[in-house]
Amino acid sequence: MTGTLNVGAESFVNLGGGVEGPMTFGTISLASEAQLDIQNASSTTTMANLSLSTY
Amino acid sequence: MVRFNTNGSTSITGSLTSNGTCDTWLWLKSLTDGIFEDIAFSSPQSITLNICQDINCTTSNLTNNYGVDLSGNTGVTFPTSRAGTTFYWVGSTAGNTKTGTFSTGVNDNWCNPDNWSLTSGVYSGTNSCIPGAQDNVVFDANSFTAGAGTVDLDLLLQSCNGMTWTGIPAGCTMDAGVTTNDRELIIFGSTILNANLDNQFESLITFFAHSATVRTITSNGSNFFGNIDFDYAGWNWTIADDFDMNGEQRADVEFVRGTVNGQLRMIGRSQGAHIQLQLQQLSLMDQRHKTVVKR
């Protein structure tokens, strides 16, 4: 996945859902109180940038 | 919060930007508590005021300034690591106008620095921080000198080390002003409730751990209202007295990992049921007129 994945305030995102498979992302950006779970079994996850924000 | 994959590995080729504040903690942890996750950075990264748990930085180039080394971290540097302290609730202390420098408004919210103090009963109007996972929280007689009050757990995730309610007047409530059930309170230490506390927190309370110390949960005649998880492999909790779940259909208990010694009494559901627990993994769900125990 290229581009930016924006996770809005108080939102929850699960990447992988427990299923095997490598994942590649551009930028992942989390707003205030957002939660990101990375759950792709034993696979590798690669991302260019990761950002967590307080607002 | 980011929970990194425990079984696989994560690689960040560019930058990690994660700068929290002491009234808005940011979390980096593994997906499975107590089991570290591997993360690698292509270049050195510097973050501020993050709570880290079970992070294994395989490239040893992550710096968490003023951060919290909760447990299980390797390859992470913690300059000026933030040690735990004790926060006292002053949300209902006489003289608290809730118009202090860092106030978020006239409310009873956990997230409001004006409701907390580092000294029992002393409202300064200048407190800027709220408790993090490393801090103890105390609700005592000095917390309610203006009369019985409520404490609203308004954040999606709030946490503390030990939680103590002592000497409070009758009529105090927890979460009376909030009705959503999508929030979580994580307690890493021991818990002491009080008979004068009406606990109406209907979301999830998770009992975690970050050291081998046995945690004690003492209800003192109070109750739990929402869901309860015990979740940390290898650690122990002792339930010192009746552990009452009084939340109708909301009150489920899940023993995900760890060992729990004690008894639970399901008031209003399975009246008087006492369950002795000595387990490594168990799931218990109290449904209408029956109790299901699975291990």
Side-chain angles (χ1 to χ4, degrees), chain B residues 181-193:
Chain B
N181 60 1
D182 57 350
R183 291 156 293 128
E184 182 176 9
L185 167 65
I186 301 178
I187 301 176
F188 287 84
S190 293
T191 303
I192 301 174
L193 302 182

Side-chain angles (χ1 to χ4, degrees), chain B residues 40-77:
Chain B
F41 298 96
S42 298
S43 61
Q45 301 297 314
S46 180
I47 59 178
T48 303
L49 283 164
N50 280 235
I51 298 173
C52 292
Q53 187 174 28
D54 302 321
I55 300 293
N56 178 34
C57 179
T58 57
T59 47
S60 297
N61 55 357
L62 176 61
T63 300
N64 184 7
N65 300 289
Y66 305 102
V68 176
D69 183 3
L70 204 55
S71 65
N73 301 299
T74 54
V76 184
T77 305

